Amino acid sequence: MVSKLNILAVFLFSLSASKTQVEAGVFDVTSATYGAKLGSDITQALAKAWTDACASLTTSKVFVPMGTYMLTEASFKGPCKAPIEIQVQGKLQAPADGGKLTKPDTWVGFEHINMLTISGGGTFDGQGALAWKQNDCNINKDCKSIAINMRFNFVTNSIIQDITSLDSKNFHINILGCNNVTFHRVNVTAPGESINTDGIHIGRSTGINIIDAHIRTGDDCVSIGDGNKEINVTRVTCGPGHGISIGSLGRYPNEEPVVGIRVKNCTLTNTSNGVRIKTWPASPSDGIASDMHFDDIIMVNVSNPILIDQQYCPWNQCKQNVPSKVKINNVSFKNIKGSSATPLAVQIVCSSGIPCENVELVDIDLTYSGNKGPLTSQCSNVKPTITRVPKALACATSA
Ligand SMILES: *[C@@H]1O[C@H](CO)[C@@H](O)[C@H](O)[C@H]1NC(C)=O
Ligand SMILES: *[C@@H]1O[C@H](CO)[C@@H](O)[C@H](O)[C@H]1NC(C)=O
Ligand SMILES: *[C@@H]1O[C@H](CO)[C@@H](O)[C@H](O)[C@H]1NC(C)=O
Ligand SMILES: *[C@@H]1O[C@H](CO)[C@@H](O)[C@H](O)[C@H]1NC(C)=O
Ligand SMILES: *[C@@H]1O[C@H](CO)[C@@H](O)[C@H](O)[C@H]1NC(C)=O
Ligand SMILES: *[C@@H]1O[C@H](CO)[C@@H](O)[C@H](O)[C@H]1NC(C)=O
Ligand SMILES: *[C@@H]1O[C@H](CO)[C@@H](O)[C@H](O)[C@H]1NC(C)=O
């Protein structure tokens, strides 16, 4: 009897001890310590809660409850002493006027953090409408820098899940120098006409997974720059926007290779491109892009469903007739079905200086129902292996 009671006591004690510990690890911005109020600017409260949580010797959580809050900026800097979570249930709103931000190029930044979790179902609202109107970066090389909603710089072993980036002034999510980070059920929403609002841009990172994302925006859905390795993009829906893109590559000197990209089970709707690889002509140095695989993709009214473009030169900013020096090798497009919004559904235009190697087209089934001519395809400087592809889509013409 006594021993049974003792066991019960120990059990109850450990239960309450662990409960206290969990609560002790929660840094609620609306608590009396931090004082955040609904509808007001929580920049200071959030910064203080982060500083305390990051110094915690055990797992901690910064908590933003339901409701709408203003946020001028957030700079979440590590390293922290233990794993850390930021749980945002509410909606955070940036100043509409970019001039009011502390840093012109970043609204919410995460830097040098290991074992970070972001969760909660909340929204990061960049309030970008004014910035899109003022954006002249297409024509003005020295245009003002514009804030990215969320930057992840040198973040490792982390999970970002169940959040939404809304109406960013510039790119929504920028990933730089990260390793082993999963973005799970992260949504991006902005109008199809918003300028430069790429969904998720990945640069110089390894082991990044983008899974179950819904991305509707005005520019690339997911874009993958130089120096990326082991990137998976799985069950992502895109559209409107410019589609999933590797590149552009080969514009700058000394770019790092892109190796090991898997785009799988994605659906693109009404986008101006489907899956594409783009490199600039007249590259200043050699480059490599290899082991890139696009599987099980559905296209719905997509303008250029399958595209390799080694003559990518928007606004004529380059020497078009000098070939790209980026070598493209080991690429496959498998099980790609649906509808094209233009007759030219497959276009593989490789570099005349360094032709593409080991390109595979398997089970491609795209239709075109418009009146701008018959369905067709175009290939140059490439001899793809073609399996179960209708004639019209199997390199019917050369450039
Ligand atoms: C990658 O990050 C996750 C999430 O923190 C972690 O569970 C996993 O162990 C990490 N993988 C490696 C290889 O470190
Ligand atoms: C993301 O969008 C999907 C589809 O619209 C929705 O079901 C899901 O709840 C959204 N996730 C978040 C975090 O808002
Ligand atoms: C990407 O997917 C492949 C195949 O499913 C898997 O082997 C690999 O570990 C994944 N990469 C990451 C970074 O999780
Ligand atoms: C991907 O899509 C294919 C074909 O539609 C399906 O067989 C497979 O189960 C899907 N895989 C995942 C991981 O969703
Ligand atoms: C595609 O875009 C057009 C024009 O903006 C729009 O009318 C149509 O509803 C969209 N289709 C889908 C499937 O979203
Ligand atoms: C092609 O890429 C796949 C996936 O990354 C890799 O497993 C395979 O070894 C590569 N093939 C060649 C010939 O390099
Ligand atoms: C298909 O896409 C074209 C070009 O974006 C657009 O003009 C058209 O309205 C779309 N059609 C449908 C049925 O969504």
Side-chain angles (χ1 to χ4, degrees):
M1 192 65 192
V2 168
S3 77
K4 263 192 189 162
L5 270 178
N6 272 346
I7 287 167
L8 189 66
V10 167
F11 174 71
L12 285 175
F13 176 77
S14 62
L15 203 68
S16 66
S18 71
K19 190 155 179 269
T20 331
Q21 201 179 16
V22 167
E23 282 172 358
V26 176
F27 297 78
D28 181 341
V29 293
T30 62
S31 68
T33 319
Y34 304 112
K37 295 271 181 313
L38 275 177
S40 64
D41 193 304
I42 64 166
T43 303
Q44 298 308 323
L46 192 55
K48 281 189 195 134
W50 171 261
T51 301
D52 291 351
C54 187
S56 166
L57 298 175
T58 54
T59 300
S60 62
K61 177 157 91 181
V62 172
F63 180 54
V64 180
M66 292 284 194
T68 299
Y69 307 87
M70 311 297 128
L71 180 69
T72 307
E73 70 125 12
S75 173
F76 299 108
K77 285 209 172 93
C80 297
K81 296 267 196 291
I84 189 163
E85 178 168 352
I86 302 178
Q87 186 178 15
V88 178
Q89 292 181 342
K91 184 183 208 176
L92 301 173
Q93 284 187 321
D97 175 2
K100 298 219 164 82
L101 293 169
T102 314
K103 282 199 212 99
D105 69 350
T106 310
W107 177 38
V108 177
F110 303 88
E111 254 180 80
H112 298 286
I113 309 167
N114 186 32
M115 309 272 276
L116 168 71
T117 301
I118 303 181
S119 65
T123 297
F124 294 79
D125 178 1
Q127 301 217 83
L130 187 63
W132 306 329
K133 277 192 211 133
Q134 295 167 347
N135 187 322
D136 62 350
C137 293
N138 284 0
I139 45 169
N140 177 8
K141 256 188 148 179
D142 307 310
C143 61
K144 268 200 291 187
S145 92
I146 303 169
I148 286 175
N149 252 13
M150 308 176 83
R151 278 186 196 268
F152 294 86
N153 293 347
F154 313 102
V155 170
T156 53
N157 305 311
S158 295
I159 299 176
I160 318 304
Q161 63 191 3
D162 300 312
I163 55 161
T164 298
S165 175
L166 175 66
D167 293 343
S168 182
K169 292 176 170 58
N170 192 349
F171 287 20
H172 281 265
I173 295 174
N174 194 74
I175 302 168
L176 175 69
C178 292
N179 194 334
N180 184 27
V181 180
T182 293
F183 291 77
H184 191 203
R185 298 187 302 249
V186 168
N187 292 350
V188 168
T189 306
E193 311 77 51
S194 58
I195 293 180
N196 245 1
T197 52
D198 293 53
I200 303 180
H201 177 75
I202 312 170
R204 304 197 168 211
S205 295
T206 301
I208 306 298
N209 288 309
I210 316 280
I211 308 172
D212 294 322
H214 296 276
I215 301 178
R216 290 180 277 163
T217 193
D219 210 301
D220 288 342
C221 176
V222 175
S223 58
I224 298 171
D226 81 294
N228 284 303
K229 299 190 170 60
E230 293 166 51
I231 310 293
N232 289 339
V233 177
T234 311
R235 296 192 304 265
V236 171
T237 67
C238 300
H242 297 180
I244 297 175
S245 182
I246 298 175
S248 57
L249 303 174
R251 186 180 190 184
Y252 302 104
N254 308 315
E255 292 185 0
E256 301 280 329
V258 171
V259 183
I261 313 294
R262 288 190 185 80
V263 177
K264 203 170 154 53
N265 282 55
C266 295
T267 301
L268 296 104
T269 305
N270 252 357
T271 51
S272 57
N273 301 281
V275 288
R276 72 172 158 167
I277 302 169
K278 52 182 180 182
T279 80
W280 291 72
S283 337
S285 48
D286 292 349
I288 291 174
S290 72
D291 305 1
M292 298 170 284
H293 305 283
F294 303 90
D295 296 329
D296 310 324
I297 315 281
I298 296 171
M299 306 283 177
V300 182
N301 194 40
V302 168
S303 294
N304 299 288
I306 296 178
L307 177 60
I308 295 181
D309 179 6
Q310 294 214 262
Q311 297 174 343
Y312 179 76
C313 182
W315 323 297
N316 276 319
Q317 292 177 355
C318 57
K319 292 189 190 132
Q320 286 264 23
N321 48 354
V322 182
S324 174
K325 286 199 265 182
V326 177
K327 176 162 183 68
I328 292 180
N329 182 24
N330 190 13
V331 184
S332 66
F333 299 95
K334 289 186 186 164
N335 190 26
I336 301 188
K337 301 196 152 74
S339 57
S340 176
T342 64
L344 185 53
V346 175
Q347 203 181 3
I348 304 182
V349 175
C350 294
S351 167
S352 60
I354 315 176
C356 297
E357 279 180 27
N358 304 309
V359 175
E360 246 189 303
L361 289 169
V362 183
D363 295 317
I364 310 297
D365 185 6
L366 296 162
T367 58
Y368 172 65
S369 60
N371 57 9
K372 300 210 175 84
L375 185 71
T376 188
S377 53
Q378 182 190 55
C379 299
S380 52
N381 305 306
V382 61
K383 290 197 185 74
T385 308
I386 294 172
T387 313
R388 293 185 299 271
V389 179
K391 248 188 172 158
L393 298 174
C395 297
T397 66
S398 62

